Amino acid sequence: MIPLEHPILLESFAHIDRSVGPHDLFPQEYAIARRVIHSTADFDFLHLLRFAPDLPQAEFDPDLPEHQAIARGIESLRHGQTIVVDVNMVKQGIQGLVQRTFNNPIQTAIDFATTADPGKTRTETGMDRCIAQFPEAIYVIGNAPTALLTLCRAIAAGKAKPALVIGVPVGFIGVLEAKKALSLLPCPQIRVEGNKGGSPVAAGIVNALLMLAWRES
């Protein structure tokens, strides 16, 4: 098996483990949280990450809702599912590990739109086009809340059925609304509560899932 974890990374993880101490997360959840903390040096993410579906009407095992997102992510990565990201910074953060593991195709929404459609952002426009081509992809949104809202509307309308949604846009305008819209959908999802998030967070989540999937392959 290809060694994927540099000794410095493992040393950083050990430091994080000592700093965190006892916690209530399941092992796979903690692996994702630890990777995000490593990417951001922000221990708040230990308490801000959410793994869902968390709705009674979700079409998944109601006894283990917190594991559905992780299980679906691992399964989809191992089977080579396309990953759609909102911006190139997320792509840059994951492509190295993707190439060393399952070589999933990576599509970047903003690259699908050289100009924005009327009344929309470029990322929103590109996301519309990605949804049409890759309705069952893994969607990873770390920057643009408009892209996440576009995806949420497509899911609600039955135009998209993503294998997993990682919804962690950062900022103040439209961010809380986009995350709230995602939280109301019965689809496999990993999100961050509040205004925090960003491309490093999104990439950290994907890289953690890749490592979990690689260990099980």
Side-chain angles (χ1 to χ4, degrees), residues 68-100:
Q68 291 294 340
I70 296 173
R72 287 289 297 275
I74 289 172
E75 178 185 14
S76 299
L77 288 168
R78 291 179 64 191
H79 286 85
Q81 181 61 268
T82 295
I83 303 170
V84 174
V85 302
D86 58 339
V87 294
N88 281 302
M89 190 176 294
V90 179
K91 179 180 180 179
Q92 291 167 4
I94 67 174
Q95 62 184 352
L97 195 53
V98 166
Q99 290 168 358
R100 295 167 65 193

Side-chain angles (χ1 to χ4, degrees), residues 58-208:
E59 297 178 0
F60 302 100
D61 183 356
D63 296 323
L64 293 172
E66 66 279 355
H67 294 303
Q68 291 294 340
I70 296 173
R72 287 289 297 275
I74 289 172
E75 178 185 14
S76 299
L77 288 168
R78 291 179 64 191
H79 286 85
Q81 181 61 268
T82 295
I83 303 170
V84 174
V85 302
D86 58 339
V87 294
N88 281 302
M89 190 176 294
V90 179
K91 179 180 180 179
Q92 291 167 4
I94 67 174
Q95 62 184 352
L97 195 53
V98 166
Q99 290 168 358
R100 295 167 65 193
T101 53
F102 306 102
N103 209 28
N104 305 71
I106 306 173
Q107 306 292 341
T108 307
I110 200 165
D111 290 344
F112 278 68
T114 55
T115 59
D117 289 342
K120 295 184 178 181
T121 65
R122 269 187 66 199
T123 313
E124 189 176 1
T125 302
M127 184 61 68
D128 275 329
R129 296 171 186 175
C130 284
I131 290 166
Q133 293 191 42
F134 313 104
E136 298 182 354
I138 298 168
Y139 279 83
V140 186
I141 298 167
N143 184 270
T146 55
L148 182 54
L149 278 170
T150 296
L151 178 61
C152 288
R153 294 188 189 108
I155 295 169
K159 296 179 180 178
K161 192 174 182 181
L164 173 66
V165 179
I166 297 172
V168 294
V170 62
F172 299 97
I173 307 303
V175 167
L176 298 182
E177 294 84 351
K179 291 177 178 177
K180 178 65 174 179
L182 177 60
S183 73
L184 296 175
L185 294 172
C187 65
Q189 58 187 264
I190 301 173
R191 63 183 193 275
V192 168
E193 296 289 270
N195 300 100
K196 289 188 176 185
S199 297
V201 175
I205 293 170
V206 175
N207 286 333

